[in-house]
Amino acid sequence: MIKPEHGREPKVVGPVLGDGFGEALRECWTAGGKTGHSYATIERDDGFLFITDVAEYFDDFDKLERHEQWAVKRAKGRVLDIGCGAGRHAIAAADMGADVIGIDPSPGAVYVSQQRGVRALKRTMKEQEPDIGKFDCMLLLGYNLGLLESRQEAVEILASLALKAEVGTRLFGNSLDPAMSSHPDHARYREENRRQGRMPGAYQVRIRHKNLTTDWFDYLYLSSKELEELIVDTGWEITEMETEGQSYAVELTLTRAGAVFPA
């Protein structure tokens, strides 16, 4: 065993728990939102790494994927942008006349959104503070249908969102169909999920930036068919859809209030 030199503390091993995602956004914002400056690493619990240039979180409307543009154009009235990040969708919707509030659990993301002119609050979608009222439209873009987490959690989350909605409120979200990826590591991960009784596209991930990492959290990629099955008896119904390659955006409409949510 190697002992530390006399008078020196042993080095910290591993990343430090903190706002890894938010700090990456802050760094990129300080650099003017430029590409090639700040990166976030999404680490899956099997060790697979996805590296993202966070400059994409500052994209203008014209740079959004086509199916996301389709959704933003339909966001009217009072809009709640859930998981607003650096505010790209909130800004685009506001530019088209919507009255937008953004929420995000990341302090750094909220700070950057506010600096960019977004009314942003540090909240999760499950929090029910009455001060923000109800909404005509909600956004789960940037593949944030993944924030539904799992088959079990999705029901509770959709119930929470319904409390911020009225009959007729629309929710726009996007995802990608995990089955369309033939990458062997992803295929193995999906198969292991099935073996454990989980949805194939259920990921457990954390977001790292330099020496910081978020805590582990659940994220869900699901096909439009899986989404349709997931929302049965929740009061939300699929009313429109736009596809683009492996990805799709969907419009959910709250068709009845006081729905009975299964346990």
Side-chain angles (χ1 to χ4, degrees):
M1 176 179 176
I2 300 175
K3 296 182 179 180
E5 294 179 22
H6 180 69
R8 292 186 63 183
E9 294 292 329
K11 292 181 179 179
V12 175
V13 178
V16 177
L17 189 64
D19 186 19
F21 176 61
E23 287 306 308
L25 292 181
R26 282 177 183 263
E27 184 179 88
C28 192
W29 170 244
T30 301
K34 296 176 182 177
T35 60
H37 184 84
S38 185
Y39 296 87
T41 299
I42 302 170
E43 179 184 4
R44 198 168 61 190
D45 60 352
D46 65 341
F48 195 94
L49 303 178
F50 308 81
I51 299 175
T52 301
D53 187 329
V54 299
E56 71 179 55
Y57 290 93
F58 295 84
D59 281 348
D60 294 331
F61 175 80
D62 291 343
K63 291 185 179 179
L64 298 178
E65 294 179 77
R66 177 177 51 79
H67 66 287
E68 288 196 311
Q69 293 182 3
W70 171 87
V72 169
K73 287 177 181 177
R74 286 159 175 76
K76 307 295 183 184
R78 196 158 189 268
V79 175
L80 180 65
D81 184 12
I82 302 162
C84 61
R88 55 181 164 168
H89 303 106
I91 292 168
D95 286 346
M96 295 180 187
D99 176 18
V100 187
I101 293 177
I103 61 172
D104 202 291
S106 161
V110 169
Y111 170 81
V112 171
S113 282
Q114 290 173 342
Q115 292 298 301
R116 301 184 75 209
V118 177
R119 245 187 319 162
L121 303 171
K122 183 181 176 297
R123 303 273 172 89
T124 71
M125 70 173 83
K126 293 181 183 179
E127 291 171 333
Q128 299 300 337
E129 289 83 349
D131 57 312
I132 61 174
K134 297 197 174 186
F135 295 87
D136 304 302
C137 184
M138 300 178 181
L139 302 179
L140 278 170
L141 297 176
Y143 294 89
N144 274 346
L145 279 176
L147 297 177
L148 294 178
E149 297 184 11
S150 67
R151 184 181 288 109
Q152 294 74 25
E153 287 295 318
V155 173
E156 178 184 342
I157 290 167
L158 290 169
S160 296
L161 296 181
L163 294 176
K164 298 180 177 74
E166 305 279 5
V167 171
T169 292
R170 296 173 301 151
L171 187 159
F172 290 98
N174 67 325
S175 186
L176 56 82
D177 184 346
M180 294 183 72
S181 172
S182 59
H183 191 291
D185 288 331
H186 300 335
R188 281 193 292 271
Y189 195 85
R190 292 195 302 269
E191 187 54 40
E192 180 62 18
N193 276 341
R194 291 188 186 94
R195 191 185 68 79
Q196 295 181 14
R198 305 172 70 198
M199 295 184 71
Y203 283 18
Q204 188 173 63
V205 297
R206 62 181 180 176
I207 302 175
R208 298 176 57 172
H209 176 64
K210 296 183 176 178
N211 69 324
L212 290 177
T213 182
T214 66
D215 208 346
W216 293 98
F217 61 94
D218 292 320
Y219 202 81
L220 181 64
Y221 291 106
L222 71 171
S223 68
S224 57
K225 179 175 174 54
E226 288 171 327
L227 176 63
E228 189 173 9
E229 293 169 351
L230 205 65
I231 64 174
V232 169
D233 295 328
T234 65
W236 295 94
E237 294 183 9
I238 296 176
T239 45
E240 280 197 70
M241 187 179 301
E242 182 79 4
T243 60
E244 183 179 2
Q246 297 181 36
S247 306
Y248 65 92
V250 65
E251 176 192 77
L252 304 180
T253 301
L254 188 65
T255 59
R256 66 187 188 277
V260 177
F261 290 82

